[in-house]
Amino acid sequence: MNPLKRRPQPRRLLALVTIPLSLSLLTACFSEPAPAGGAGSDERISVAMLQPPRSGLSPLSDDAFKLSRWATAETLVVLDEAGEALPALATGWEQVDDTTWRFAVRQGVSFHNGNELTTESVVNSLQHAIDASPVPRILDGVDLTVRADRDDVVLTTAEPDPLLPHRLSSPQLAVLDAEAYTDSGVDPTGTGTGPFELTAIDGVVGATLERYDGYWGEPAQAAGIDVRYVPDGTARAAALRTGEADVVEAIPAGQAASIDENLITEVPMPRTNTLYLNTESGPFADPAVRAAAREAVDRAAIIESVYEGRADVAEGLLGPALPWAAGYRDEPAYQEVLDGRATPSEVDGVQITLGTFTDRAELPEVAVILEQQLEAAGFDVQQDVREYQFIEADALDGTFDAFILSRATVLDSGDPVAYLASDFTCDGGFSIAQLCSPDVDEAISRAAQTEPGEDRQRASMAAEAAVLATDAAIPLLHERVIQGESQQVADAARDPRERILITADTHLDAAR
């Protein structure tokens, strides 16, 4: 029986009434509970972040994940370690019919500016996301409407969407007060609901957050967070070694050996380093030339030379952080799709532009190795390497023939379908490969309409096979993020999805 043709029974998750659920409680998924007696300290946590904001910390961009990692902006729903949806600013929800969902908004929550969280403020935030251009990638291909109904928010999709609660966990759908939204953009300063209030934004230099004493959940233990953006990986590693930063994002693999192993943690990531090929124009518009590039790549050599073995060879777009993915690749239907890939053509002096960015220190080195491998196969490679904020627009416009990107594959919903839709469908909002294939669109659409479970997993892998069959994307490796923490840091989150970093429980413990 097709589950999409079965009318779902109304169901509601019970509100957590004895202990308010906050993002801080989710850190139990990643770390031990904080010791008693640390709440309300005067100590501040210094954080070295990988990338500066791209869009002025607008939650409607990838900057939303900074707001989430600083515990200042919150969503209706959060995900636990297994990717299951849990209440947050919503206390529960029910699916009314195939396309309609009702979410109960938590009462007694105030924004950092003192205004009350209401159903109208939730609707306002979600409507701004729906109307945004480009639309947040979690909403790619989703025709969504939202309205308030007393203490509930009602969301309706044009097509059945089994993962709607998971979508609402995306940091890009954070709820801010109406004062955040202006004609010139979105300003999250003082308009979130988390345990830390964003009080100052210093452009691409840093940001300052203070403990918010009116938080609806457990109050933050640290007095505040001092953020600095440090795109240079060597400088981030030095900040950890010298004690200038308490918590450091993304220590480069090449720097890890020079740091006390007690200060670093390797976290397997649902993140794939991928070579995107421009399928719309240039040499790689020819599938046979794309196939030649695919055959030229030596993944193991990249991992050993650049990552010093701290990565996993990519057999597909989805890596070992999704342990169910590998088994489906052995199924005949998956292999049959891959058997339909183009035969590589001979290339001799074919000129291509290869782009990537410096913010992730390994990527320029990957570009060097790939250039050597591609030129050995007959390509003539010209590199273009810049900071991400200066290269993203060109990459999305199809300026490059090839582009190396480190891409999170379940960043938004805990499910890979949103990533596949964003990157590889005709209407995808992050289509560096400029791919538009009816077969791929059909496979991704089928996965999107399948309810969670083994059937959805199998459909997701069928979509992966459809993408790989085009050679629009050549997966290289699956990264392991190396997070740095000083010995005094307690209860920083180690989140594979990169949504949580500093929580209400995170603090400095001089006794450690």
Side-chain angles (χ1 to χ4, degrees):
M1 180 178 181
N2 185 343
L4 294 180
K5 296 185 181 297
R6 182 178 67 245
R7 182 181 180 86
Q9 297 298 312
R11 55 188 183 273
R12 178 173 291 277
L13 300 184
L14 295 179
L16 302 183
V17 294
T18 55
I19 302 177
L21 176 71
S22 71
L23 288 179
S24 66
L25 295 182
L26 290 184
T27 59
C29 300
F30 308 109
S31 59
E32 295 298 319
S41 75
D42 293 330
E43 295 173 327
R44 303 182 63 82
I45 300 170
S46 58
V47 181
M49 303 290 288
L50 169 64
Q51 292 176 330
R54 306 171 190 172
S55 304
L57 289 177
S58 168
L60 304 178
S61 71
D62 276 349
D63 291 351
F65 294 87
K66 290 180 173 55
L67 302 177
S68 175
R69 285 168 77 75
W70 303 336
T72 187
E74 298 179 309
T75 50
L76 291 174
V77 176
V78 290
L79 301 180
D80 67 10
E81 187 179 32
E84 296 298 322
L86 297 175
L89 292 181
T91 56
W93 54 87
E94 64 177 341
Q95 185 173 0
V96 179
D97 56 38
D98 284 350
T99 59
T100 305
W101 298 73
R102 181 179 289 269
F103 292 78
V105 175
R106 188 176 295 277
Q107 303 299 300
V109 177
S110 64
F111 292 103
H112 296 148
N113 58 12
N115 292 337
E116 180 184 0
L117 174 72
T118 64
T119 54
E120 288 76 14
S121 55
V122 173
V123 169
N124 182 66
S125 287
L126 294 180
Q127 191 63 55
H128 274 90
I130 292 168
D131 295 338
S133 181
V135 67
R137 59 175 173 260
I138 192 64
L139 297 181
D140 267 348
V142 179
D143 186 354
L144 182 67
T145 59
V146 58
R147 62 181 176 85
D149 183 13
R150 297 187 296 278
D151 293 335
D152 293 348
V153 170
V154 179
L155 291 102
T156 304
T157 56
E159 300 293 333
D161 185 4
L163 281 187
L164 184 63
H166 295 70
R167 291 185 190 277
L168 295 180
S169 74
S170 169
Q172 292 185 321
L173 300 184
V175 178
L176 301 182
D177 185 59
E179 291 182 0
Y181 302 93
T182 67
D183 292 339
S184 57
V186 187
D187 181 3
T189 306
T191 55
T193 59
F196 290 100
E197 177 184 356
L198 179 63
T199 57
I201 298 175
D202 189 5
V204 297
V205 176
T208 303
L209 299 96
E210 306 292 343
R211 178 171 53 223
Y212 179 59
D213 292 331
Y215 182 54
W216 60 271
E218 292 295 323
Q221 296 197 40
I225 308 171
D226 298 310
V227 177
R228 290 294 176 267
Y229 309 118
V230 188
D232 183 81
T234 302
R236 283 199 309 281
L240 180 64
R241 282 194 296 265
T242 62
E244 292 180 12
D246 299 311
V247 179
V248 179
E249 280 191 321
I251 299 292
Q255 295 287 323
S258 65
I259 299 174
D260 183 343
E261 64 178 13
N262 293 318
L263 302 183
I264 60 176
T265 302
E266 270 188 66
V267 182
M269 303 295 291
R271 176 176 286 277
T272 305
N273 188 317
T274 302
L275 178 66
Y276 289 77
L277 303 181
N278 188 336
T279 63
E280 186 178 54
S281 62
F284 290 130
D286 183 346
V289 179
R290 297 200 296 272
R294 179 232 308 157
E295 291 299 306
V297 172
D298 182 347
R299 296 167 174 83
I302 295 172
I303 291 173
E304 289 304 316
S305 61
V306 178
Y307 290 82
E308 301 183 1
R310 296 177 183 266
D312 300 294
V313 170
E315 303 295 339
L317 296 169
L318 307 180
L322 297 176
W324 49 263
Y328 292 108
R329 295 194 181 103
D330 296 329
E331 294 188 353
Y334 185 97
Q335 293 299 323
E336 183 179 347
V337 173
L338 292 190
D339 290 342
R341 290 185 296 188
T343 301
S345 65
E346 295 291 333
V347 292
D348 184 9
V350 174
Q351 295 185 348
I352 59 171
T353 55
L354 173 64
T356 194
F357 50 98
T358 59
D359 304 54
R360 290 188 177 271
E362 297 88 359
L363 294 188
E365 298 181 54
V366 172
V368 171
I369 303 298
L370 272 180
E371 178 181 353
Q372 295 170 355
Q373 294 177 356
L374 292 169
E375 289 192 336
F379 291 96
D380 181 357
V381 181
Q382 298 295 318
Q383 286 193 43
D384 188 343
V385 181
R386 315 174 212 161
E387 284 189 33
Y388 190 85
Q389 61 179 323
F390 301 122
I391 204 169
E392 180 188 53
D394 283 344
L396 293 175
D397 286 342
T399 299
F400 304 104
D401 298 312
F403 194 84
I404 306 167
L405 182 71
S406 174
R407 185 75 159 125
T409 57
V410 297
L411 188 65
D412 298 278
S413 64
D415 178 88
V417 175
Y419 144 72
L420 293 169
S422 177
D423 286 29
F424 302 114
T425 60
C426 296
D427 296 327
F430 203 78
S431 184
I432 290 178
Q434 314 296 316
L435 181 65
C436 187
S437 162
D439 290 343
V440 171
D441 273 25
E442 181 181 354
I444 294 175
S445 176
R446 188 179 304 116
Q449 296 176 50
T450 304
E451 293 193 13
E454 289 188 7
D455 287 345
R456 188 177 181 92
Q457 293 172 0
R458 181 172 283 104
S460 297
M461 294 307 293
E464 178 194 82
V467 172
L468 295 179
T470 69
D471 286 321
I474 302 173
L476 304 175
L477 55 94
H478 304 296
E479 296 185 17
R480 306 171 194 161
V481 73
I482 305 174
Q483 182 168 306
E485 301 170 18
S486 77
Q487 291 184 333
Q488 291 187 341
V489 172
D491 295 315
R494 297 163 182 175
D495 179 12
R497 301 186 191 98
E498 298 181 290
R499 293 177 171 208
I500 313 172
L501 181 63
I502 307 301
T503 75
D505 290 334
T506 309
H507 64 284
L508 302 182
D509 184 353
R512 287 170 65 94

